PDB file of all heavy atoms in Angstrom:
ATOM      1  N   ASP Q   1     109.434 110.588 117.823  1.00  0.00           N
ATOM      2  CA  ASP Q   1     110.212 110.214 119.001  1.00  0.00           C
ATOM      3  C   ASP Q   1     109.360 109.473 120.020  1.00  0.00           C
ATOM      4  O   ASP Q   1     109.818 108.524 120.668  1.00  0.00           O
ATOM      5  CB  ASP Q   1     110.804 111.467 119.661  1.00  0.00           C
ATOM      6  CG  ASP Q   1     112.004 112.012 118.915  1.00  0.00           C
ATOM      7  OD1 ASP Q   1     112.423 111.383 117.925  1.00  0.00           O
ATOM      8  OD2 ASP Q   1     112.517 113.071 119.311  1.00  0.00           O
ATOM      9  N   GLU Q   2     108.123 109.910 120.172  1.00  0.00           N
ATOM     10  CA  GLU Q   2     107.245 109.287 121.156  1.00  0.00           C
ATOM     11  C   GLU Q   2     106.975 107.828 120.788  1.00  0.00           C
ATOM     12  O   GLU Q   2     107.073 106.927 121.628  1.00  0.00           O
ATOM     13  CB  GLU Q   2     105.924 110.057 121.237  1.00  0.00           C
ATOM     14  CG  GLU Q   2     104.967 109.526 122.298  1.00  0.00           C
ATOM     15  CD  GLU Q   2     103.659 110.280 122.344  1.00  0.00           C
ATOM     16  OE1 GLU Q   2     103.529 111.275 121.607  1.00  0.00           O
ATOM     17  OE2 GLU Q   2     102.763 109.865 123.099  1.00  0.00           O
ATOM     18  N   VAL Q   3     106.672 107.590 119.519  1.00  0.00           N
ATOM     19  CA  VAL Q   3     106.401 106.221 119.092  1.00  0.00           C
ATOM     20  C   VAL Q   3     107.681 105.387 119.114  1.00  0.00           C
ATOM     21  O   VAL Q   3     107.698 104.252 119.597  1.00  0.00           O
ATOM     22  CB  VAL Q   3     105.771 106.222 117.690  1.00  0.00           C
ATOM     23  CG1 VAL Q   3     105.546 104.784 117.208  1.00  0.00           C
ATOM     24  CG2 VAL Q   3     104.447 106.975 117.694  1.00  0.00           C
ATOM     25  N   PHE Q   4     108.775 105.951 118.603  1.00  0.00           N
ATOM     26  CA  PHE Q   4     110.039 105.216 118.569  1.00  0.00           C
ATOM     27  C   PHE Q   4     110.504 104.863 119.980  1.00  0.00           C
ATOM     28  O   PHE Q   4     111.064 103.785 120.212  1.00  0.00           O
ATOM     29  CB  PHE Q   4     111.102 106.047 117.856  1.00  0.00           C
ATOM     30  CG  PHE Q   4     112.413 105.337 117.653  1.00  0.00           C
ATOM     31  CD1 PHE Q   4     112.451 104.085 117.062  1.00  0.00           C
ATOM     32  CD2 PHE Q   4     113.607 105.916 118.041  1.00  0.00           C
ATOM     33  CE1 PHE Q   4     113.662 103.427 116.855  1.00  0.00           C
ATOM     34  CE2 PHE Q   4     114.815 105.275 117.847  1.00  0.00           C
ATOM     35  CZ  PHE Q   4     114.842 104.026 117.252  1.00  0.00           C
ATOM     36  N   GLY Q   5     110.258 105.765 120.933  1.00  0.00           N
ATOM     37  CA  GLY Q   5     110.643 105.503 122.310  1.00  0.00           C
ATOM     38  C   GLY Q   5     109.933 104.311 122.905  1.00  0.00           C
ATOM     39  O   GLY Q   5     110.401 103.720 123.883  1.00  0.00           O
ATOM     40  N   ARG Q   6     108.811 103.902 122.310  1.00  0.00           N
ATOM     41  CA  ARG Q   6     108.043 102.775 122.826  1.00  0.00           C
ATOM     42  C   ARG Q   6     108.325 101.469 122.091  1.00  0.00           C
ATOM     43  O   ARG Q   6     107.920 100.414 122.551  1.00  0.00           O
ATOM     44  CB  ARG Q   6     106.541 103.105 122.752  1.00  0.00           C
ATOM     45  CG  ARG Q   6     106.179 104.250 123.658  1.00  0.00           C
ATOM     46  CD  ARG Q   6     104.749 104.724 123.429  1.00  0.00           C
ATOM     47  NE  ARG Q   6     104.521 105.883 124.265  1.00  0.00           N
ATOM     48  CZ  ARG Q   6     104.192 105.827 125.558  1.00  0.00           C
ATOM     49  NH1 ARG Q   6     104.038 104.661 126.143  1.00  0.00           N
ATOM     50  NH2 ARG Q   6     104.026 106.929 126.260  1.00  0.00           N
ATOM     51  N   VAL Q   7     108.976 101.561 120.933  1.00  0.00           N
ATOM     52  CA  VAL Q   7     109.164 100.336 120.152  1.00  0.00           C
ATOM     53  C   VAL Q   7     110.618 100.065 119.782  1.00  0.00           C
ATOM     54  O   VAL Q   7     110.917  99.001 119.233  1.00  0.00           O
ATOM     55  CB  VAL Q   7     108.313 100.381 118.855  1.00  0.00           C
ATOM     56  CG1 VAL Q   7     106.835 100.442 119.180  1.00  0.00           C
ATOM     57  CG2 VAL Q   7     108.720 101.567 117.980  1.00  0.00           C
ATOM     58  N   PHE Q   8     111.544 101.022 120.072  1.00  0.00           N
ATOM     59  CA  PHE Q   8     112.902 100.815 119.586  1.00  0.00           C
ATOM     60  C   PHE Q   8     113.594  99.644 120.290  1.00  0.00           C
ATOM     61  O   PHE Q   8     114.461  98.986 119.707  1.00  0.00           O
ATOM     62  CB  PHE Q   8     113.747 102.087 119.714  1.00  0.00           C
ATOM     63  CG  PHE Q   8     114.354 102.327 121.069  1.00  0.00           C
ATOM     64  CD1 PHE Q   8     115.626 101.878 121.372  1.00  0.00           C
ATOM     65  CD2 PHE Q   8     113.642 103.016 122.041  1.00  0.00           C
ATOM     66  CE1 PHE Q   8     116.186 102.102 122.619  1.00  0.00           C
ATOM     67  CE2 PHE Q   8     114.191 103.252 123.271  1.00  0.00           C
ATOM     68  CZ  PHE Q   8     115.474 102.789 123.570  1.00  0.00           C
ATOM     69  N   SER Q   9     113.217  99.345 121.544  1.00  0.00           N
ATOM     70  CA  SER Q   9     113.886  98.249 122.245  1.00  0.00           C
ATOM     71  C   SER Q   9     113.560  96.902 121.617  1.00  0.00           C
ATOM     72  O   SER Q   9     114.392  95.989 121.626  1.00  0.00           O
ATOM     73  CB  SER Q   9     113.518  98.249 123.731  1.00  0.00           C
ATOM     74  OG  SER Q   9     112.151  97.967 123.910  1.00  0.00           O
ATOM     75  N   VAL Q  10     112.364  96.759 121.036  1.00  0.00           N
ATOM     76  CA  VAL Q  10     112.036  95.492 120.386  1.00  0.00           C
ATOM     77  C   VAL Q  10     112.822  95.365 119.087  1.00  0.00           C
ATOM     78  O   VAL Q  10     113.180  94.253 118.666  1.00  0.00           O
ATOM     79  CB  VAL Q  10     110.515  95.364 120.146  1.00  0.00           C
ATOM     80  CG1 VAL Q  10     110.025  96.265 119.035  1.00  0.00           C
ATOM     81  CG2 VAL Q  10     110.133  93.915 119.849  1.00  0.00           C
ATOM     82  N   LEU Q  11     113.151  96.501 118.447  1.00  0.00           N
ATOM     83  CA  LEU Q  11     114.035  96.443 117.282  1.00  0.00           C
ATOM     84  C   LEU Q  11     115.435  96.029 117.704  1.00  0.00           C
ATOM     85  O   LEU Q  11     116.061  95.177 117.049  1.00  0.00           O
ATOM     86  CB  LEU Q  11     114.078  97.810 116.594  1.00  0.00           C
ATOM     87  CG  LEU Q  11     115.092  97.938 115.445  1.00  0.00           C
ATOM     88  CD1 LEU Q  11     114.776  96.941 114.330  1.00  0.00           C
ATOM     89  CD2 LEU Q  11     115.112  99.370 114.902  1.00  0.00           C
ATOM     90  N   GLY Q  12     115.939  96.612 118.791  1.00  0.00           N
ATOM     91  CA  GLY Q  12     117.249  96.214 119.289  1.00  0.00           C
ATOM     92  C   GLY Q  12     117.298  94.748 119.661  1.00  0.00           C
ATOM     93  O   GLY Q  12     118.274  94.041 119.374  1.00  0.00           O
ATOM     94  N   GLU Q  13     116.224  94.258 120.277  1.00  0.00           N
ATOM     95  CA  GLU Q  13     116.162  92.842 120.662  1.00  0.00           C
ATOM     96  C   GLU Q  13     116.126  91.943 119.435  1.00  0.00           C
ATOM     97  O   GLU Q  13     116.764  90.886 119.391  1.00  0.00           O
ATOM     98  CB  GLU Q  13     114.920  92.610 121.527  1.00  0.00           C
ATOM     99  CG  GLU Q  13     114.837  91.224 122.136  1.00  0.00           C
ATOM    100  CD  GLU Q  13     113.632  91.062 123.043  1.00  0.00           C
ATOM    101  OE1 GLU Q  13     112.779  91.980 123.080  1.00  0.00           O
ATOM    102  OE2 GLU Q  13     113.553  90.023 123.713  1.00  0.00           O
ATOM    103  N   ALA Q  14     115.406  92.385 118.400  1.00  0.00           N
ATOM    104  CA  ALA Q  14     115.340  91.605 117.170  1.00  0.00           C
ATOM    105  C   ALA Q  14     116.697  91.554 116.478  1.00  0.00           C
ATOM    106  O   ALA Q  14     117.118  90.498 115.986  1.00  0.00           O
ATOM    107  CB  ALA Q  14     114.285  92.200 116.234  1.00  0.00           C
ATOM    108  N   LEU Q  15     117.398  92.685 116.437  1.00  0.00           N
ATOM    109  CA  LEU Q  15     118.728  92.711 115.836  1.00  0.00           C
ATOM    110  C   LEU Q  15     119.697  91.828 116.630  1.00  0.00           C
ATOM    111  O   LEU Q  15     120.545  91.144 116.051  1.00  0.00           O
ATOM    112  CB  LEU Q  15     119.246  94.146 115.773  1.00  0.00           C
ATOM    113  CG  LEU Q  15     118.580  95.070 114.743  1.00  0.00           C
ATOM    114  CD1 LEU Q  15     118.905  96.526 115.040  1.00  0.00           C
ATOM    115  CD2 LEU Q  15     119.009  94.703 113.330  1.00  0.00           C
ATOM    116  N   SER Q  16     119.562  91.849 117.941  1.00  0.00           N
ATOM    117  CA  SER Q  16     120.461  91.047 118.788  1.00  0.00           C
ATOM    118  C   SER Q  16     120.294  89.557 118.549  1.00  0.00           C
ATOM    119  O   SER Q  16     121.267  88.794 118.568  1.00  0.00           O
ATOM    120  CB  SER Q  16     120.204  91.357 120.272  1.00  0.00           C
ATOM    121  OG  SER Q  16     120.519  92.691 120.582  1.00  0.00           O
ATOM    122  N   SER Q  17     119.054  89.119 118.336  1.00  0.00           N
ATOM    123  CA  SER Q  17     118.787  87.684 118.217  1.00  0.00           C
ATOM    124  C   SER Q  17     118.622  87.231 116.773  1.00  0.00           C
ATOM    125  O   SER Q  17     118.313  86.064 116.529  1.00  0.00           O
ATOM    126  CB  SER Q  17     117.517  87.326 119.008  1.00  0.00           C
ATOM    127  OG  SER Q  17     116.373  87.923 118.419  1.00  0.00           O
ATOM    128  N   ALA Q  18     118.810  88.146 115.816  1.00  0.00           N
ATOM    129  CA  ALA Q  18     118.560  87.808 114.412  1.00  0.00           C
ATOM    130  C   ALA Q  18     119.438  86.652 113.940  1.00  0.00           C
ATOM    131  O   ALA Q  18     120.631  86.590 114.233  1.00  0.00           O
ATOM    132  CB  ALA Q  18     118.794  89.033 113.531  1.00  0.00           C
ATOM    133  N   GLU Q  19     118.830  85.742 113.201  1.00  0.00           N
ATOM    134  CA  GLU Q  19     119.565  84.640 112.591  1.00  0.00           C
ATOM    135  C   GLU Q  19     120.153  85.087 111.256  1.00  0.00           C
ATOM    136  O   GLU Q  19     119.903  86.206 110.802  1.00  0.00           O
ATOM    137  CB  GLU Q  19     118.599  83.461 112.389  1.00  0.00           C
ATOM    138  CG  GLU Q  19     117.954  82.977 113.685  1.00  0.00           C
ATOM    139  CD  GLU Q  19     116.788  82.035 113.432  1.00  0.00           C
ATOM    140  OE1 GLU Q  19     116.464  81.798 112.242  1.00  0.00           O
ATOM    141  OE2 GLU Q  19     116.193  81.558 114.420  1.00  0.00           O
ATOM    142  N   SER Q  20     120.930  84.242 110.633  1.00  0.00           N
ATOM    143  CA  SER Q  20     121.525  84.582 109.343  1.00  0.00           C
ATOM    144  C   SER Q  20     120.416  84.913 108.341  1.00  0.00           C
ATOM    145  O   SER Q  20     119.399  84.200 108.271  1.00  0.00           O
ATOM    146  CB  SER Q  20     122.373  83.431 108.816  1.00  0.00           C
ATOM    147  OG  SER Q  20     123.468  83.200 109.680  1.00  0.00           O
ATOM    148  N   PRO Q  21     120.600  85.956 107.559  1.00  0.00           N
ATOM    149  CA  PRO Q  21     119.536  86.381 106.647  1.00  0.00           C
ATOM    150  C   PRO Q  21     119.390  85.456 105.445  1.00  0.00           C
ATOM    151  O   PRO Q  21     120.357  84.847 104.979  1.00  0.00           O
ATOM    152  CB  PRO Q  21     119.999  87.772 106.207  1.00  0.00           C
ATOM    153  CG  PRO Q  21     121.487  87.741 106.339  1.00  0.00           C
ATOM    154  CD  PRO Q  21     121.762  86.861 107.517  1.00  0.00           C
ATOM    155  N   SER Q  22     118.180  85.364 104.951  1.00  0.00           N
ATOM    156  CA  SER Q  22     117.908  84.666 103.700  1.00  0.00           C
ATOM    157  C   SER Q  22     117.160  85.613 102.776  1.00  0.00           C
ATOM    158  O   SER Q  22     116.334  86.421 103.225  1.00  0.00           O
ATOM    159  CB  SER Q  22     117.073  83.406 103.951  1.00  0.00           C
ATOM    160  OG  SER Q  22     115.848  83.735 104.582  1.00  0.00           O
ATOM    161  N   ARG Q  23     117.465  85.542 101.501  1.00  0.00           N
ATOM    162  CA  ARG Q  23     116.838  86.447 100.545  1.00  0.00           C
ATOM    163  C   ARG Q  23     115.374  86.068 100.341  1.00  0.00           C
ATOM    164  O   ARG Q  23     115.028  84.887 100.245  1.00  0.00           O
ATOM    165  CB  ARG Q  23     117.593  86.406  99.222  1.00  0.00           C
ATOM    166  CG  ARG Q  23     117.117  87.443  98.209  1.00  0.00           C
ATOM    167  CD  ARG Q  23     117.989  87.437  96.957  1.00  0.00           C
ATOM    168  NE  ARG Q  23     119.347  87.846  97.268  1.00  0.00           N
ATOM    169  CZ  ARG Q  23     120.286  88.035  96.345  1.00  0.00           C
ATOM    170  NH1 ARG Q  23     120.003  87.841  95.063  1.00  0.00           N
ATOM    171  NH2 ARG Q  23     121.504  88.395  96.706  1.00  0.00           N
ATOM    172  N   VAL Q  24     114.512  87.086 100.270  1.00  0.00           N
ATOM    173  CA  VAL Q  24     113.095  86.881 100.001  1.00  0.00           C
ATOM    174  C   VAL Q  24     112.683  87.774  98.845  1.00  0.00           C
ATOM    175  O   VAL Q  24     113.403  88.709  98.476  1.00  0.00           O
ATOM    176  CB  VAL Q  24     112.225  87.186 101.245  1.00  0.00           C
ATOM    177  CG1 VAL Q  24     112.541  86.238 102.389  1.00  0.00           C
ATOM    178  CG2 VAL Q  24     112.392  88.633 101.692  1.00  0.00           C
ATOM    179  N   SER Q  25     111.540  87.497  98.295  1.00  0.00           N
ATOM    180  CA  SER Q  25     111.056  88.287  97.167  1.00  0.00           C
ATOM    181  C   SER Q  25     110.508  89.624  97.652  1.00  0.00           C
ATOM    182  O   SER Q  25     110.149  89.786  98.828  1.00  0.00           O
ATOM    183  CB  SER Q  25     109.952  87.528  96.433  1.00  0.00           C
ATOM    184  OG  SER Q  25     108.797  87.411  97.252  1.00  0.00           O
ATOM    185  N   GLU Q  26     110.425  90.570  96.728  1.00  0.00           N
ATOM    186  CA  GLU Q  26     109.824  91.849  97.085  1.00  0.00           C
ATOM    187  C   GLU Q  26     108.352  91.670  97.436  1.00  0.00           C
ATOM    188  O   GLU Q  26     107.819  92.400  98.282  1.00  0.00           O
ATOM    189  CB  GLU Q  26     109.971  92.849  95.937  1.00  0.00           C
ATOM    190  CG  GLU Q  26     109.452  94.242  96.286  1.00  0.00           C
ATOM    191  CD  GLU Q  26     109.743  95.283  95.232  1.00  0.00           C
ATOM    192  OE1 GLU Q  26     110.375  94.944  94.213  1.00  0.00           O
ATOM    193  OE2 GLU Q  26     109.345  96.444  95.434  1.00  0.00           O
ATOM    194  N   GLN Q  27     107.703  90.696  96.829  1.00  0.00           N
ATOM    195  CA  GLN Q  27     106.306  90.442  97.157  1.00  0.00           C
ATOM    196  C   GLN Q  27     106.163  89.989  98.604  1.00  0.00           C
ATOM    197  O   GLN Q  27     105.217  90.389  99.292  1.00  0.00           O
ATOM    198  CB  GLN Q  27     105.734  89.381  96.218  1.00  0.00           C
ATOM    199  CG  GLN Q  27     104.254  89.093  96.419  1.00  0.00           C
ATOM    200  CD  GLN Q  27     103.384  90.311  96.161  1.00  0.00           C
ATOM    201  OE1 GLN Q  27     103.724  91.160  95.341  1.00  0.00           O
ATOM    202  NE2 GLN Q  27     102.258  90.403  96.858  1.00  0.00           N
ATOM    203  N   THR Q  28     107.100  89.166  99.085  1.00  0.00           N
ATOM    204  CA  THR Q  28     107.075  88.748 100.490  1.00  0.00           C
ATOM    205  C   THR Q  28     107.249  89.948 101.406  1.00  0.00           C
ATOM    206  O   THR Q  28     106.557  90.085 102.424  1.00  0.00           O
ATOM    207  CB  THR Q  28     108.182  87.715 100.754  1.00  0.00           C
ATOM    208  OG1 THR Q  28     107.949  86.562  99.954  1.00  0.00           O
ATOM    209  CG2 THR Q  28     108.221  87.314 102.223  1.00  0.00           C
ATOM    210  N   TRP Q  29     108.197  90.824 101.073  1.00  0.00           N
ATOM    211  CA  TRP Q  29     108.403  92.059 101.834  1.00  0.00           C
ATOM    212  C   TRP Q  29     107.132  92.891 101.845  1.00  0.00           C
ATOM    213  O   TRP Q  29     106.709  93.396 102.882  1.00  0.00           O
ATOM    214  CB  TRP Q  29     109.574  92.816 101.217  1.00  0.00           C
ATOM    215  CG  TRP Q  29     109.617  94.288 101.481  1.00  0.00           C
ATOM    216  CD1 TRP Q  29     109.042  95.272 100.726  1.00  0.00           C
ATOM    217  CD2 TRP Q  29     110.262  94.969 102.573  1.00  0.00           C
ATOM    218  NE1 TRP Q  29     109.292  96.505 101.261  1.00  0.00           N
ATOM    219  CE2 TRP Q  29     110.038  96.354 102.390  1.00  0.00           C
ATOM    220  CE3 TRP Q  29     111.013  94.541 103.657  1.00  0.00           C
ATOM    221  CZ2 TRP Q  29     110.535  97.313 103.276  1.00  0.00           C
ATOM    222  CZ3 TRP Q  29     111.506  95.502 104.543  1.00  0.00           C
ATOM    223  CH2 TRP Q  29     111.272  96.864 104.356  1.00  0.00           C
ATOM    224  N   ARG Q  30     106.522  93.044 100.688  1.00  0.00           N
ATOM    225  CA  ARG Q  30     105.332  93.889 100.575  1.00  0.00           C
ATOM    226  C   ARG Q  30     104.167  93.320 101.384  1.00  0.00           C
ATOM    227  O   ARG Q  30     103.430  94.066 102.047  1.00  0.00           O
ATOM    228  CB  ARG Q  30     104.957  94.039  99.098  1.00  0.00           C
ATOM    229  CG  ARG Q  30     103.850  95.024  98.843  1.00  0.00           C
ATOM    230  CD  ARG Q  30     103.654  95.261  97.350  1.00  0.00           C
ATOM    231  NE  ARG Q  30     104.804  95.941  96.751  1.00  0.00           N
ATOM    232  CZ  ARG Q  30     104.806  96.445  95.511  1.00  0.00           C
ATOM    233  NH1 ARG Q  30     103.721  96.341  94.758  1.00  0.00           N
ATOM    234  NH2 ARG Q  30     105.891  97.039  95.041  1.00  0.00           N
ATOM    235  N   GLU Q  31     103.989  92.012 101.325  1.00  0.00           N
ATOM    236  CA  GLU Q  31     102.915  91.397 102.111  1.00  0.00           C
ATOM    237  C   GLU Q  31     103.158  91.554 103.607  1.00  0.00           C
ATOM    238  O   GLU Q  31     102.222  91.815 104.372  1.00  0.00           O
ATOM    239  CB  GLU Q  31     102.800  89.916 101.738  1.00  0.00           C
ATOM    240  CG  GLU Q  31     102.251  89.681 100.339  1.00  0.00           C
ATOM    241  CD  GLU Q  31     102.281  88.216  99.942  1.00  0.00           C
ATOM    242  OE1 GLU Q  31     102.809  87.391 100.737  1.00  0.00           O
ATOM    243  OE2 GLU Q  31     101.771  87.885  98.849  1.00  0.00           O
ATOM    244  N   ALA Q  32     104.410  91.377 104.027  1.00  0.00           N
ATOM    245  CA  ALA Q  32     104.718  91.556 105.452  1.00  0.00           C
ATOM    246  C   ALA Q  32     104.479  92.992 105.878  1.00  0.00           C
ATOM    247  O   ALA Q  32     104.032  93.259 106.999  1.00  0.00           O
ATOM    248  CB  ALA Q  32     106.172  91.155 105.717  1.00  0.00           C
ATOM    249  N   LEU Q  33     104.749  93.928 104.981  1.00  0.00           N
ATOM    250  CA  LEU Q  33     104.590  95.345 105.284  1.00  0.00           C
ATOM    251  C   LEU Q  33     103.128  95.738 105.436  1.00  0.00           C
ATOM    252  O   LEU Q  33     102.781  96.545 106.306  1.00  0.00           O
ATOM    253  CB  LEU Q  33     105.245  96.169 104.170  1.00  0.00           C
ATOM    254  CG  LEU Q  33     105.466  97.659 104.401  1.00  0.00           C
ATOM    255  CD1 LEU Q  33     106.461  97.886 105.522  1.00  0.00           C
ATOM    256  CD2 LEU Q  33     105.971  98.312 103.114  1.00  0.00           C
ATOM    257  N   SER Q  34     102.265  95.165 104.614  1.00  0.00           N
ATOM    258  CA  SER Q  34     100.878  95.620 104.563  1.00  0.00           C
ATOM    259  C   SER Q  34      99.864  94.643 105.140  1.00  0.00           C
ATOM    260  O   SER Q  34      98.730  95.039 105.433  1.00  0.00           O
ATOM    261  CB  SER Q  34     100.487  95.923 103.112  1.00  0.00           C
ATOM    262  OG  SER Q  34     100.627  94.770 102.302  1.00  0.00           O
ATOM    263  N   GLU Q  35     100.259  93.371 105.308  1.00  0.00           N
ATOM    264  CA  GLU Q  35      99.276  92.363 105.706  1.00  0.00           C
ATOM    265  C   GLU Q  35      99.631  91.632 106.984  1.00  0.00           C
ATOM    266  O   GLU Q  35      98.988  90.633 107.321  1.00  0.00           O
ATOM    267  CB  GLU Q  35      99.102  91.342 104.567  1.00  0.00           C
ATOM    268  CG  GLU Q  35      98.643  91.956 103.266  1.00  0.00           C
ATOM    269  CD  GLU Q  35      98.582  90.950 102.125  1.00  0.00           C
ATOM    270  OE1 GLU Q  35      98.609  89.736 102.427  1.00  0.00           O
ATOM    271  OE2 GLU Q  35      98.506  91.369 100.964  1.00  0.00           O
ATOM    272  N   ARG Q  36     100.647  92.092 107.693  1.00  0.00           N
ATOM    273  CA  ARG Q  36     101.057  91.452 108.939  1.00  0.00           C
ATOM    274  C   ARG Q  36     101.205  92.486 110.050  1.00  0.00           C
ATOM    275  O   ARG Q  36     101.623  93.618 109.787  1.00  0.00           O
ATOM    276  CB  ARG Q  36     102.396  90.722 108.763  1.00  0.00           C
ATOM    277  CG  ARG Q  36     102.393  89.616 107.733  1.00  0.00           C
ATOM    278  CD  ARG Q  36     101.554  88.441 108.188  1.00  0.00           C
ATOM    279  NE  ARG Q  36     101.571  87.351 107.210  1.00  0.00           N
ATOM    280  CZ  ARG Q  36     100.821  86.269 107.308  1.00  0.00           C
ATOM    281  NH1 ARG Q  36     100.006  86.130 108.350  1.00  0.00           N
ATOM    282  NH2 ARG Q  36     100.876  85.326 106.388  1.00  0.00           N
ATOM    283  N   PRO Q  37     100.878  92.116 111.285  1.00  0.00           N
ATOM    284  CA  PRO Q  37     101.152  93.038 112.395  1.00  0.00           C
ATOM    285  C   PRO Q  37     102.651  93.196 112.584  1.00  0.00           C
ATOM    286  O   PRO Q  37     103.417  92.231 112.467  1.00  0.00           O
ATOM    287  CB  PRO Q  37     100.493  92.350 113.599  1.00  0.00           C
ATOM    288  CG  PRO Q  37     100.382  90.918 113.214  1.00  0.00           C
ATOM    289  CD  PRO Q  37     100.213  90.878 111.734  1.00  0.00           C
TER     290      PRO Q  37
END
């Protein structure tokens, strides 16, 4: 809760401004998960 309370608004902002989704590979997802801030 403590961490989520500090970052959930940026998730809400991202959802609000999100553009139409495009499909990406699982490798792209994995790299974003482990190799990107």
Side-chain angles (χ1 to χ4, degrees):
D1 283 356
E2 183 181 355
V3 177
F4 185 52
R6 295 171 184 277
V7 297
F8 83 93
S9 66
V10 73
L11 173 61
E13 187 177 8
L15 288 164
S16 296
S17 67
E19 301 167 358
S20 296
S22 58
R23 187 175 295 186
V24 297
S25 67
E26 184 173 359
Q27 183 62 31
T28 298
W29 157 270
R30 187 173 293 190
E31 290 174 356
L33 193 65
S34 59
E35 301 176 16
R36 299 291 181 187

